[in-house]
Amino acid sequence: MTRWLRYALLAWALLLTACVPAVRMKGDAGLLADQRAREQALAPLDRWMLQGRLGVSNGKDGGSGNFSWSQDGAHYEFVLRAPVTGKSFRLSGDDHGALMEGLDGGPIRGRDAESLMHRALGWDVPLRDLRAWVLGLRADGGPAELTFGADRLPASLLQDGWSVDYREWDTSHQPPLPKKLYAAKPPYKVKLVIESWQLP
């Protein structure tokens, strides 16, 4: 990870704390039916943009910053801004490859976003699955186990070795969309606080 990114992002690490949901219910037939209805409504959504704050940790280094994420079909653009220096990096791509810009050594390319982010910054972020999880959906990967809160929305999701906690939901959208989610696969942790959603 470049020095400016490591130290500048550490400044906001404490901004991404929240309480664990008090209620976690196993999915019964009704709750799982509601979740399938949410997934059927949101799965076709392939154009959206969100803005918020991101925190990451690999068990040794970590940090946070403001970010925006836009998705247009297979094409994505992810921009992270360091709060102190104002520097930023941009990760973009599609099914054919990924490009990261803003690093000290100049732009680099890779076969996909996950491998490129690991190579450039040492972060293991499951971006492919996160595209579904950020909408509150199960990804297309392995089997998923869900629990639900008192609001009948997902409280946790276990999938592909990751544990995803949904800490808060934006009910101004229908179906509701996540506002805070924490994903962990020791020693890696990813925390998202979503401040705004833009949908078609």
Side-chain angles (χ1 to χ4, degrees):
M1 185 186 302
T2 60
R3 181 174 296 179
W4 71 263
L5 194 56
R6 180 184 298 117
Y7 292 106
L9 296 184
L10 281 170
W12 278 13
L14 293 179
L15 292 177
L16 294 169
T17 58
C19 297
V20 176
V23 177
R24 288 173 184 255
M25 301 180 291
K26 290 287 187 181
D28 60 21
L31 291 169
L32 292 172
D34 288 348
Q35 177 65 10
R36 284 193 295 271
R38 287 189 68 258
E39 291 176 338
Q40 288 171 1
L42 291 172
L45 187 65
D46 64 354
R47 294 183 61 205
W48 45 262
M49 180 176 179
L50 60 84
Q51 294 180 318
R53 289 169 285 156
L54 168 72
V56 295
S57 172
N58 62 8
K60 295 180 181 178
D61 295 318
S64 61
N66 295 327
F67 81 102
S68 64
W69 182 354
S70 62
Q71 195 76 40
D72 186 358
H75 184 268
Y76 55 85
E77 180 176 297
F78 187 95
V79 179
L80 178 66
R81 299 171 186 86
V84 177
T85 65
K87 289 188 176 182
S88 64
F89 77 79
R90 176 177 177 267
L91 175 64
S92 60
D94 52 27
D95 293 338
H96 303 292
L99 170 68
M100 184 174 287
E101 302 167 279
L103 301 175
D104 292 341
I108 60 173
R109 296 182 181 274
R111 68 180 184 276
D112 55 49
E114 289 92 343
S115 61
L116 189 57
M117 185 169 281
H118 181 80
R119 174 179 148 203
L121 303 175
W123 295 353
D124 278 340
V125 180
L127 292 174
R128 188 179 298 104
D129 286 348
L130 197 59
R131 178 179 170 183
W133 297 342
V134 78
L135 292 167
L137 312 179
R138 292 168 284 191
D140 292 334
E145 180 180 336
L146 286 163
T147 67
F148 295 85
D151 54 8
R152 301 183 63 83
L153 293 169
S156 70
L157 167 64
L158 299 176
Q159 189 172 28
D160 292 341
W162 285 81
S163 172
V164 182
D165 285 330
Y166 291 97
R167 306 294 179 92
E168 189 176 344
W169 289 81
D170 183 350
T171 56
S172 68
H173 295 278
Q174 290 301 322
L177 294 168
K179 285 185 70 173
K180 292 181 181 179
L181 62 144
Y182 293 5
K185 182 180 182 180
Y188 302 105
K189 295 180 181 179
V190 181
K191 303 178 182 182
L192 297 178
V193 176
I194 300 168
E195 297 171 342
S196 68
W197 280 96
Q198 296 179 32
L199 306 176

